[in-house]
DNA sequence: TTCAGGATGTACT
DNA sequence: GTACATCCTGAAC
Protein backbone atom coordinates (compact mmCIF):
# COMPACT_ATOMS: atom_id res chain seq x y z
CA UNK A 1 0.00 0.00 0.00
CA UNK A 2 1.16 3.52 -0.73
CA UNK A 3 1.55 6.39 1.68
CA UNK A 4 -1.15 9.06 1.81
CA UNK A 5 0.24 12.26 0.29
CA UNK A 6 -0.30 15.90 1.08
CA UNK A 7 -3.27 16.22 -1.24
CA UNK A 8 -5.15 13.64 0.88
CA UNK A 9 -4.84 15.84 3.98
CA UNK A 10 -5.35 19.16 2.16
CA UNK A 11 -9.12 18.68 1.84
CA UNK A 12 -12.29 19.25 3.82
CA UNK A 13 -11.63 18.04 7.38
CA UNK A 14 -14.83 16.00 7.71
CA UNK A 15 -13.99 14.12 4.51
CA UNK A 16 -10.47 13.40 5.71
CA UNK A 17 -11.71 12.27 9.12
CA UNK A 18 -14.15 9.82 7.53
CA UNK A 19 -11.67 8.53 4.97
CA UNK A 20 -8.95 7.93 7.56
CA UNK A 21 -10.99 5.09 9.04
CA UNK A 22 -9.30 1.79 8.27
CA UNK A 23 -6.02 3.39 7.12
CA UNK A 24 -2.77 2.21 8.66
CA UNK A 25 -0.99 4.59 11.01
CA UNK A 26 2.75 3.86 11.00
CA UNK A 27 5.26 4.93 13.65
CA UNK A 28 8.94 4.14 13.11
CA UNK A 29 10.87 4.09 16.39
CA UNK A 30 14.44 5.39 16.70
CA UNK A 31 15.45 1.72 16.90
CA UNK A 32 14.01 1.25 13.42
CA UNK A 33 11.12 -0.92 14.56
CA UNK A 34 7.84 -0.24 12.79
CA UNK A 35 4.63 -0.01 14.80
CA UNK A 36 1.40 -0.17 12.79
CA UNK A 37 -2.22 0.15 13.81
CA UNK A 38 -5.42 0.57 11.81
CA UNK A 39 -7.38 3.74 12.59
CA UNK A 40 -10.82 2.92 14.02
CA UNK A 41 -11.99 6.23 15.47
CA UNK A 42 -11.51 9.90 14.51
CA UNK A 43 -12.87 13.37 15.27
CA UNK A 44 -12.75 16.56 13.20
CA UNK A 45 -11.74 19.94 14.66
CA UNK A 46 -12.15 23.04 12.48
CA UNK A 47 -10.89 26.32 13.97
CA UNK A 48 -12.82 28.57 11.63
CA UNK A 49 -16.19 27.68 13.23
CA UNK A 50 -15.64 25.20 16.06
CA UNK A 51 -15.58 26.27 19.71
CA UNK A 52 -14.10 22.90 20.66
CA UNK A 53 -10.99 23.55 18.57
CA UNK A 54 -7.91 25.01 20.26
CA UNK A 55 -7.67 27.47 17.35
CA UNK A 56 -11.34 28.54 17.37
CA UNK A 57 -11.83 31.80 15.53
CA UNK A 58 -8.26 31.70 14.21
CA UNK A 59 -6.88 32.07 17.69
CA UNK A 60 -3.08 31.96 17.57
CA UNK A 61 -0.89 30.96 20.50
CA UNK A 62 2.38 29.07 20.82
CA UNK A 63 0.40 25.84 21.23
CA UNK A 64 -1.96 26.28 18.27
CA UNK A 65 0.76 27.32 15.83
CA UNK A 66 1.06 23.74 14.53
CA UNK A 67 -2.61 23.75 13.49
CA UNK A 68 -1.79 26.44 10.91
CA UNK A 69 0.96 24.37 9.33
CA UNK A 70 0.65 22.73 5.94
CA UNK A 71 -1.66 19.73 5.68
CA UNK A 72 -0.04 16.43 6.55
CA UNK A 73 1.61 17.70 9.74
CA UNK A 74 1.29 16.02 13.16
CA UNK A 75 -0.25 18.19 15.91
CA UNK A 76 0.46 16.59 19.30
CA UNK A 77 -0.43 18.28 22.58
CA UNK A 78 -0.49 17.42 26.28
CA UNK A 79 -3.90 17.00 27.89
CA UNK A 80 -4.83 16.72 31.59
CA UNK A 81 -1.18 17.01 32.53
CA UNK A 82 -0.27 13.46 31.64
CA UNK A 83 -1.50 12.27 28.26
CA UNK A 84 -0.80 13.25 24.67
CA UNK A 85 -3.22 13.37 21.77
CA UNK A 86 -2.31 12.92 18.11
CA UNK A 87 -3.99 14.98 15.39
CA UNK A 88 -3.31 15.15 11.66
CA UNK A 89 -3.46 18.69 10.23
CA UNK A 90 -5.87 19.16 7.32
CA UNK A 91 -7.06 21.80 4.83
CA UNK A 92 -4.93 24.52 3.24
CA UNK A 93 -1.91 25.90 5.07
CA UNK A 94 -3.15 28.77 7.24
CA UNK A 95 -6.52 27.11 7.95
CA UNK A 96 -6.35 25.71 11.51
CA UNK A 97 -8.02 22.30 11.28
CA UNK A 98 -7.11 18.72 12.11
CA UNK A 99 -8.35 15.20 12.71
CA UNK A 100 -7.92 13.72 16.19
CA UNK A 101 -7.01 10.03 16.12
CA UNK A 102 -9.08 8.55 18.94
CA UNK A 103 -8.65 4.82 18.51
CA UNK A 104 -6.97 1.97 16.68
CA UNK A 105 -6.40 -1.73 16.34
CA UNK A 106 -2.93 -3.36 16.31
CA UNK A 107 -1.64 -4.53 12.92
CA UNK A 108 2.15 -4.95 13.28
CA UNK A 109 4.38 -5.34 16.35
CA UNK A 110 1.49 -5.63 18.78
CA UNK A 111 3.93 -6.91 21.40
CA UNK A 112 5.82 -3.61 21.38
CA UNK A 113 2.56 -1.65 21.54
CA UNK A 114 1.52 -3.75 24.55
CA UNK A 115 4.94 -3.25 26.12
CA UNK A 116 4.54 0.53 25.89
CA UNK A 117 0.98 0.36 27.27
CA UNK A 118 1.18 -2.29 29.97
CA UNK A 119 4.81 -3.33 30.24
CA UNK A 120 4.16 -6.85 28.97
CA UNK A 121 3.75 -8.62 25.61
CA UNK A 122 0.28 -9.08 24.12
CA UNK A 123 -0.04 -12.58 25.51
CA UNK A 124 0.29 -11.21 29.05
CA UNK A 125 -2.62 -8.80 28.73
CA UNK A 126 -5.71 -9.39 30.86
CA UNK A 127 -9.08 -9.52 29.08
CA UNK A 128 -9.83 -6.06 30.45
CA UNK A 129 -6.56 -4.71 29.03
CA UNK A 130 -7.22 -6.41 25.71
CA UNK A 131 -10.59 -4.72 25.46
CA UNK A 132 -9.12 -1.32 26.30
CA UNK A 133 -5.88 -1.59 24.33
CA UNK A 134 -5.96 1.36 21.89
CA UNK A 135 -9.49 2.74 22.36
CA UNK A 136 -8.57 6.29 23.33
CA UNK A 137 -6.32 9.10 22.11
CA UNK A 138 -4.03 9.02 25.15
CA UNK A 139 -3.72 5.25 24.99
CA UNK A 140 -2.83 5.31 21.31
CA UNK A 141 -0.07 7.88 21.82
CA UNK A 142 1.32 5.92 24.74
CA UNK A 143 1.43 2.71 22.69
CA UNK A 144 3.06 4.46 19.74
CA UNK A 145 5.55 6.30 21.96
CA UNK A 146 4.35 9.70 20.73
CA UNK A 147 4.88 12.80 22.87
CA UNK A 148 5.11 16.52 22.26
CA UNK A 149 8.64 15.88 20.99
CA UNK A 150 6.96 14.68 17.81
CA UNK A 151 4.71 17.74 17.51
CA UNK A 152 5.08 19.29 14.06
CA UNK A 153 6.41 16.13 12.38
CA UNK A 154 5.80 15.93 8.64
CA UNK A 155 3.59 12.96 7.82
CA UNK A 156 5.43 12.60 4.53
CA UNK A 157 8.66 11.89 6.42
CA UNK A 158 10.04 8.62 7.75
CA UNK A 159 9.05 8.68 11.45
CA UNK A 160 5.27 8.91 11.26
CA UNK A 161 2.93 8.45 8.32
CA UNK A 162 -0.30 6.82 7.14
CA UNK A 163 -0.56 4.05 4.56
CA UNK A 164 -3.54 3.69 2.29
CA UNK A 165 -5.85 0.71 2.83
CA UNK A 166 -9.10 -0.43 1.26
CA UNK A 167 -12.11 1.62 2.35
CA UNK A 168 -14.12 -0.16 5.05
CA UNK A 169 -17.62 -1.45 4.41
CA UNK A 170 -19.87 1.59 4.73
CA UNK A 171 -22.32 -0.39 6.85
CA UNK A 172 -19.65 -0.49 9.59
CA UNK A 173 -19.07 3.28 9.70
CA UNK A 174 -20.79 5.22 12.49
CA UNK A 175 -21.17 8.97 13.00
CA UNK A 176 -21.95 10.87 16.20
CA UNK A 177 -21.13 13.63 18.67
CA UNK A 178 -17.58 14.21 19.84
CA UNK A 179 -16.32 13.15 23.25
CA UNK A 180 -15.13 15.31 26.14
CA UNK A 181 -16.04 18.76 24.81
CA UNK A 182 -19.04 19.61 26.99
CA UNK A 183 -17.76 23.17 27.36
CA UNK A 184 -18.05 23.90 23.62
CA UNK A 185 -21.66 25.20 23.59
CA UNK A 186 -23.37 24.69 20.21
CA UNK A 187 -20.38 22.69 18.90
CA UNK A 188 -21.18 19.96 21.45
CA UNK A 189 -23.77 18.55 19.04
CA UNK A 190 -21.77 18.65 15.81
CA UNK A 191 -21.71 15.07 14.42
CA UNK A 192 -17.99 15.19 13.77
CA UNK A 193 -16.94 11.87 15.29
CA UNK A 194 -16.50 8.82 13.08
CA UNK A 195 -15.78 5.24 14.07
CA UNK A 196 -15.77 1.68 12.83
CA UNK A 197 -18.14 -0.72 14.53
CA UNK A 198 -15.84 -3.39 16.00
C1' DT B 1 -20.93 -3.66 34.41
C1' DT B 2 -20.93 1.14 35.80
C1' DC B 3 -19.33 5.16 38.61
C1' DA B 4 -16.72 8.58 41.42
C1' DG B 5 -12.48 10.45 42.33
C1' DG B 6 -7.75 11.48 41.72
C1' DA B 7 -3.36 12.06 39.12
C1' DT B 8 -0.72 15.77 36.97
C1' DG B 9 1.24 20.07 34.37
C1' DT B 10 0.53 23.42 30.77
C1' DA B 11 -2.06 27.00 28.60
C1' DC B 12 -4.45 30.74 29.17
C1' DT B 13 -7.53 34.25 32.00
C1' DG C 1 -6.31 30.31 39.75
C1' DT C 2 -9.11 27.49 36.48
C1' DA C 3 -9.93 24.46 32.89
C1' DC C 4 -8.58 20.80 30.21
C1' DA C 5 -10.10 16.92 22.87
C1' DT C 6 -7.91 11.50 29.47
C1' DC C 7 -7.09 7.26 31.96
C1' DC C 8 -6.80 4.28 35.92
C1' DT C 9 -8.24 2.36 40.24
C1' DG C 10 -11.28 0.66 43.53
C1' DA C 11 -15.92 0.04 45.23
C1' DA C 12 -20.67 -1.17 44.58
C1' DC C 13 -23.86 -3.59 42.08
Amino acid sequence: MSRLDRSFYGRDTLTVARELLGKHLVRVLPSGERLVCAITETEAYIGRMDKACHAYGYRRTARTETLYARPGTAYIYLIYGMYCCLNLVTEAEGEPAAVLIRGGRPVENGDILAQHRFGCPQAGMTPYQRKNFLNGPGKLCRALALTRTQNGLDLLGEELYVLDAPAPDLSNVRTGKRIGIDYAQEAVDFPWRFWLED
Side-chain angles (χ1 to χ4, degrees), chain A residues 101-168:
Chain A
I101 308 300
R102 281 196 66 87
R105 162 172 57 74
V107 172
E108 274 180 39
N109 274 319
D111 282 336
I112 301 178
L113 295 170
Q115 200 70 40
H116 289 157
R117 275 279 283 138
F118 305 118
C120 68
Q122 266 180 304
M125 288 163 52
T126 66
Y128 183 79
Q129 289 175 326
R130 199 171 299 278
K131 189 177 165 204
N132 297 288
F133 194 6
L134 304 172
N135 62 341
K139 302 174 191 177
L140 199 74
C141 282
R142 185 67 176 280
L144 293 173
L146 290 172
T147 67
R148 280 172 300 164
T149 305
Q150 281 76 41
N151 181 39
L153 261 190
D154 184 6
L155 297 173
L156 276 74
E158 296 306 315
E159 289 184 65
L160 184 65
Y161 51 91
V162 181
L163 293 179
D164 200 4

Side-chain angles (χ1 to χ4, degrees), chain A residues 45 49-54 56 178-190:
Chain A
Y45 287 85
M49 52 188 288
D50 177 11
K51 287 182 182 166
C53 183
H54 293 157
Y56 170 61
R178 293 174 294 176
I179 305 289
I181 55 156
D182 291 346
Y183 60 90
Q185 303 173 32
E186 81 280 354
V188 164
D189 296 322
F190 293 176

